[in-house]
Structure formats: C-alpha cells, structure tokens
Amino acid sequence: MKAIQISAERQMGVVDIPEVEMKSDEVLLRLEYVGFCGSDLSTWLGRNPMVKMPVVPGHEVGAVIEKVGADVPEGLKPGMVVTCNPYTNCGKCASCRNGRVNACEHNETLGVQRWGAMRERIALPWEKVIPAGLLTPRTCALIEPMSVGFHAVSRAQVTDIDVVLVIGCGMVGMGAVVRSAQRGATVVAADIDDEKLSLAREMGASYTINTRTEDVHTRLREITSGFGPDVVIEAVGSSPTYQMAVDEVAFTGRVICIGYAKTEVSFQTKYFVQKELDIRGSRNAQPSDFRAVIHYLERGTCPVDRLISAEVTPEEAAAAMQQWADAPGKVFRILVKF
C-alpha cells in the first residue's frame, strides 16, 4: 500500500509498504486525512533525536473503520468516522500507576518512536480508536493537536477568575485559547503573526499581543491592572518564550510548559521562590481531552477551514513540507489526503 516515508534529512517520498496484518483485538482504519505536526517537520529537518530513520510520519488522524477484529467491542463498527489516540502506555511505570497514561515513561507516539499514519491503512488496538460522532474525517485530523492544548488548560486548573496568557498561536496554542475561554477565563493570546492573533480573537481570546511589535510587559500590566496573568501557557518551545512565561506570570501564578525548547534555557530562579510559582509540564493528552475537543468541534463554531493551511496529495507532501520550513509562522496545519 501507499505510504509517505522520511528516509533522511529533507528526504521524503511515496513508497510502497506491506499491507498491515490485523490482530483480533485491533481495528483496521482506512486513512482519509492525516495532519503534519511540528514533530514531523522536525523529523524532516533532521532535528528530532527520538526518531529512527526511515519512518512513516503522522499521528493526527481522520479515518473510517474498514474492519474490526473478533475481540473488538460492539461499539466500534465498519463505516464509523474515527480519530485515534496515537500514544502508547506501558501500564507499569509511575505515570501509568498514577493514572496519567499520557505521560507514560515508555510512550511511543505514532510517527515518532514507531511508524505513523501517513499511509492508506493502519491497524490499532481498539482502545486507541476514538469515535468522532458527526465529524468529518477532515475535521478529525485537527482533534489531536487541539487536545494537547486542552490538556494544558486542565493541568493549569483554569477557572473563570483567571487571566490566561497563551504564548504561541499554532494549533496547540489555539486549543489552549479555546479551552481557557470555555472555562470563563480572560484569555490573552501572544504571537508574532497578526493573522494568527486575529484568528485567536475569533476563537475566544479577549486580548492579543504581537510580541514582535509590542512591549509585552507593558501590555500585560495594562490588561491585568498591574498583577500579571494568573496562568501562562508556553506553546512555542524557545528560550525567550520560556523566560517570558516566568518573568510575566503573576505572583503565586501557574506556568504550564508544552513546547520543547531546542536549547538550554537560563532563568532568574529567584522568581520561582519569590513568586512561589507552580511550574508544570504538560504532555500529550488524556482520553477526556479528546472527547472535549470532539464536543467542541461538533458545535460547528470552530473556523475549521481557516485552521487548515493546505490539503495535499501524498505526492505533494514533500513540497508542502519545504513551504512550511520556509515560512513556519504562516502554517496552522497541512493535511495529507489519502
């Protein structure tokens, strides 16, 4: 069957791989749309140390059930539109023991530590297949990245009395904007791109800050009456934005870290103590986060078309990846249509 494969740095092409063999407790999915993630871009650029080449990328899935194994519960049936939870969990590590399977010590994500979903068909354990209600497969490809943002808001324990600063308005950051607004918080979205900031307002942000052209500290002090935001969600993964999060969060605030910084980050650690900060990591998403995103998307208020920067065929994927690398700030999601 047809698949997209990254074989080396900046080398991507369409290859023929063997058909999958489905186990009795697995579901065979026919992939219709798969989104490119930032981790896929890093893999293509040769900057993802967790990947072993060659790899089939992709873990943002919109699919239809083609076949179910004999030991699959009755709730999953051929023809259903689904997405998937692309993470594994061992069931034995400290994270799994504590019920936080999204942070499993031995997690293997589709398209990273194991071959992913950029192919015509894939077989997955039934527990990882998530029915998507009335959503289309195209919309389903947006669920996973948004769920990561939703999970960060849960980690932050956001409430309606909070001011939440979301740094970075890509797909994950947009998920954090939406979920924070749903919880009644006052949301401030920060990014370097005015188009993304405009969309963030449409999706629930009350204020926006262009960090390239505006004084972030001054604007935040104006918005928060001098206190600073109660919660800062870092969804970029860079040294300056990590430092911004710690510097700008209010005393006794919460800093939630989603992005992986590619270089070492230096902090004035006195702020950790003086502000008595809660600094929390946020990794992947829980099943409840997937359900919450599906519920949100089913309402029909999400500007789905504006979140999809391009739809390409497998043969066009390499060129699309080059365009993303050339202008990373202008891309939300590139979907591959199988």
Side-chain angles (χ1 to χ4, degrees), residues 20-29 65-73 76 114 122-129:
V20 295
E21 296 183 5
M22 189 180 71
K23 299 176 182 177
S24 64
D25 63 345
E26 290 185 332
V27 176
L28 183 65
L29 304 184
I65 295 178
E66 190 165 284
K67 186 178 179 181
V68 298
D71 296 327
V72 173
L76 296 172
R114 56 190 172 128
I122 190 171
L124 295 173
W126 69 265
E127 298 95 335
K128 299 297 182 180
V129 177

Coordinates of all heavy atoms in Angstrom, one line a residue, residues 20-29 65-73 76 114 122-129:
V20 N -1.0 -4.2 6.2 CA -1.0 -4.5 7.6 C -1.7 -5.8 7.9 O -2.6 -6.2 7.2 CB -1.7 -3.3 8.4 CG1 -0.9 -2.1 8.3 CG2 -3.1 -3.2 8.0
E21 N -1.2 -6.4 9.0 CA -1.8 -7.7 9.5 C -2.6 -7.3 10.8 O -1.9 -6.9 11.8 CB -0.8 -8.7 9.7 CG -0.1 -9.2 8.5 CD 0.9 -10.3 8.7 OE1 1.0 -10.8 9.9 OE2 1.6 -10.7 7.8
M22 N -3.9 -7.5 10.8 CA -4.7 -7.1 11.9 C -4.9 -8.2 12.9 O -5.2 -9.3 12.6 CB -6.1 -6.6 11.4 CG -6.9 -6.0 12.5 SD -8.5 -5.5 11.8 CE -9.3 -7.1 11.6
K23 N -4.7 -7.9 14.2 CA -4.9 -8.8 15.3 C -6.4 -8.8 15.7 O -7.1 -7.9 15.4 CB -4.0 -8.5 16.5 CG -2.5 -8.5 16.2 CD -1.7 -8.1 17.4 CE -0.2 -8.0 17.0 NZ 0.6 -7.5 18.2
S24 N -6.7 -9.8 16.5 CA -8.1 -10.0 16.9 C -8.7 -8.8 17.7 O -9.9 -8.6 17.8 CB -8.3 -11.3 17.6 OG -7.6 -11.3 18.8
D25 N -7.8 -8.1 18.5 CA -8.2 -7.0 19.3 C -7.9 -5.7 18.7 O -7.9 -4.6 19.3 CB -7.5 -7.1 20.7 CG -6.0 -6.9 20.6 OD1 -5.5 -7.1 19.5 OD2 -5.4 -6.7 21.7
E26 N -7.7 -5.6 17.3 CA -7.4 -4.4 16.6 C -8.5 -4.0 15.7 O -9.4 -4.8 15.3 CB -6.1 -4.6 15.9 CG -4.9 -4.7 16.8 CD -3.6 -4.7 16.1 OE1 -3.5 -5.2 14.9 OE2 -2.6 -4.3 16.6
V27 N -8.4 -2.8 15.3 CA -9.3 -2.2 14.3 C -8.5 -1.7 13.1 O -7.5 -1.1 13.2 CB -10.1 -1.0 14.9 CG1 -11.0 -0.3 13.9 CG2 -10.9 -1.4 16.1
L28 N -9.0 -2.0 11.9 CA -8.3 -1.6 10.7 C -9.0 -0.3 10.2 O -10.2 -0.2 10.0 CB -8.5 -2.7 9.6 CG -7.8 -2.4 8.3 CD1 -6.2 -2.3 8.4 CD2 -8.2 -3.4 7.2
L29 N -8.1 0.7 10.1 CA -8.6 2.0 9.7 C -8.2 2.3 8.3 O -7.0 2.1 7.9 CB -8.0 3.1 10.6 CG -8.3 3.0 12.1 CD1 -7.8 4.2 12.9 CD2 -9.8 2.8 12.4
I65 N -13.4 3.4 9.9 CA -13.2 2.0 10.2 C -13.5 1.1 9.0 O -14.6 1.2 8.4 CB -14.1 1.5 11.4 CG1 -13.6 2.3 12.7 CG2 -13.9 0.0 11.6 CD1 -14.4 1.9 13.9
E66 N -12.6 0.3 8.6 CA -12.7 -0.6 7.5 C -13.1 -2.0 8.0 O -13.9 -2.7 7.3 CB -11.5 -0.7 6.6 CG -11.6 -1.4 5.3 CD -10.5 -1.1 4.4 OE1 -10.5 0.0 3.8 OE2 -9.6 -2.0 4.2
K67 N -12.5 -2.4 9.1 CA -12.7 -3.8 9.6 C -12.4 -3.8 11.1 O -11.6 -3.1 11.5 CB -11.8 -4.8 8.8 CG -12.1 -6.3 9.1 CD -11.2 -7.1 8.2 CE -11.3 -8.6 8.5 NZ -10.4 -9.4 7.7
V68 N -13.1 -4.7 11.8 CA -12.8 -4.9 13.2 C -12.5 -6.3 13.5 O -13.0 -7.2 12.9 CB -14.0 -4.4 14.1 CG1 -14.3 -2.9 13.9 CG2 -15.3 -5.2 13.8
G69 N -11.6 -6.5 14.5 CA -11.2 -7.9 14.9 C -12.3 -8.6 15.7 O -13.2 -7.9 16.2
A70 N -12.1 -9.9 15.9 CA -13.1 -10.7 16.5 C -13.3 -10.3 18.0 O -14.4 -10.5 18.6 CB -12.8 -12.1 16.4
D71 N -12.3 -9.7 18.6 CA -12.3 -9.4 20.1 C -12.6 -7.9 20.3 O -12.3 -7.5 21.4 CB -11.0 -9.9 20.7 CG -10.8 -11.4 20.7 OD1 -11.8 -12.1 20.7 OD2 -9.7 -11.8 20.6
V72 N -13.0 -7.2 19.3 CA -13.3 -5.8 19.5 C -14.7 -5.6 19.9 O -15.6 -6.2 19.4 CB -13.1 -5.0 18.1 CG1 -13.5 -3.6 18.2 CG2 -11.6 -5.1 17.7
P73 N -15.0 -4.7 20.9 CA -16.3 -4.5 21.4 C -17.3 -4.0 20.3 O -16.9 -3.4 19.3 CB -16.1 -3.4 22.5 CG -14.7 -3.5 22.9 CD -14.0 -4.0 21.7
L76 N -17.6 -0.4 18.2 CA -16.9 0.0 17.0 C -17.3 -0.8 15.8 O -17.2 -2.0 15.8 CB -15.4 -0.1 17.3 CG -14.8 0.7 18.4 CD1 -13.4 0.3 18.7 CD2 -14.9 2.2 18.0
R114 N 7.6 5.0 16.5 CA 7.1 3.9 15.7 C 6.5 4.5 14.4 O 6.1 5.7 14.4 CB 6.1 3.0 16.5 CG 4.9 3.8 17.0 CD 4.1 3.0 17.9 NE 3.0 3.8 18.6 CZ 1.7 3.5 18.6 NH1 1.3 2.4 18.0 NH2 0.9 4.3 19.2
I122 N -4.1 1.4 8.5 CA -3.3 1.2 9.7 C -4.2 0.4 10.7 O -5.4 0.6 10.7 CB -2.8 2.5 10.4 CG1 -1.8 2.2 11.5 CG2 -4.0 3.3 10.9 CD1 -1.2 3.4 12.1
A123 N -3.6 -0.6 11.4 CA -4.3 -1.4 12.4 C -3.9 -0.9 13.8 O -2.7 -0.8 14.1 CB -4.0 -2.8 12.3
L124 N -4.8 -0.6 14.7 CA -4.6 -0.1 16.0 C -5.4 -0.9 17.0 O -6.5 -1.4 16.8 CB -4.9 1.4 16.1 CG -4.1 2.3 15.3 CD1 -4.7 3.7 15.4 CD2 -2.7 2.4 15.7
P125 N -4.9 -1.0 18.3 CA -5.7 -1.6 19.3 C -7.0 -0.9 19.5 O -7.0 0.4 19.4 CB -4.8 -1.5 20.6 CG -3.4 -1.3 20.1 CD -3.5 -0.6 18.8
W126 N -8.1 -1.6 19.7 CA -9.4 -0.9 19.8 C -9.5 0.2 20.8 O -10.2 1.2 20.6 CB -10.5 -1.9 20.0 CG -10.5 -2.6 21.3 CD1 -10.0 -3.8 21.7 CD2 -11.2 -2.1 22.5 NE1 -10.2 -4.0 23.0 CE2 -11.0 -3.0 23.5 CE3 -12.0 -0.9 22.7 CZ2 -11.5 -2.8 24.8 CZ3 -12.5 -0.7 24.0 CH2 -12.2 -1.7 25.0
E127 N -8.7 0.1 21.9 CA -8.7 1.1 22.9 C -8.2 2.4 22.5 O -8.5 3.5 23.1 CB -7.9 0.6 24.2 CG -8.4 -0.6 24.8 CD -7.7 -1.9 24.3 OE1 -7.1 -1.8 23.2 OE2 -7.6 -2.9 25.1
K128 N -7.4 2.4 21.4 CA -6.9 3.7 20.9 C -7.7 4.3 19.8 O -7.3 5.4 19.3 CB -5.4 3.4 20.4 CG -4.5 2.9 21.4 CD -4.3 3.9 22.5 CE -3.3 3.4 23.6 NZ -3.0 4.4 24.7
V129 N -8.8 3.7 19.4 CA -9.7 4.2 18.4 C -10.8 5.0 19.0 O -11.5 4.5 19.9 CB -10.2 3.1 17.5 CG1 -11.2 3.6 16.5 CG2 -9.1 2.4 16.9

